[in-house]
Amino acid sequence: MSEKARQLFDALDLDEDGELTRAEVISALRSKGPTLAARGDLPFWGVGDAQASSALFDEADAGGDAVLTFEEFAAVVDRRFGW
């Protein structure tokens, strides 16, 4: 799992509880997405609307429990973003 995935996960984990919820991902990408992309922590094309963020969440939620662990998140973003 890449260091970039860890940095992005930590940036999206608004309540710092070690898990991501759908609302957290959507909110964080909406508020922080452009800044994360400008810093190189997220590809510019990865900054999407709520529907795209929700689809990313669904793809990563391997356990189907409506929360993402770092491992679930990293497996998807490393592959999708080419990290």
Side-chain angles (χ1 to χ4, degrees):
M1 314 237 177
S2 73
E3 181 60 31
K4 283 193 173 222
R6 172 50 73 186
Q7 290 171 345
L8 182 55
F9 183 90
D10 290 345
L12 300 179
D13 187 10
L14 299 176
D15 62 6
E16 300 178 354
D17 68 351
E19 297 180 327
L20 299 176
T21 64
R22 180 183 312 276
E24 207 169 20
V25 170
I26 291 169
S27 177
L29 285 176
R30 182 178 299 137
S31 64
K32 296 181 175 186
T35 301
L36 293 169
R39 287 192 334 214
D41 293 335
L42 175 70
F44 279 103
W45 57 265
V47 179
D49 59 13
Q51 186 175 3
S53 298
S54 189
L56 173 68
F57 184 92
D58 288 339
E59 182 180 348
D61 188 17
D65 58 358
V67 294
L68 300 182
T69 64
F70 171 68
E71 291 76 16
E72 288 174 317
F73 178 81
V76 170
V77 298
D78 280 345
R79 183 180 71 247
R80 182 179 274 195
F81 298 156
W83 293 337

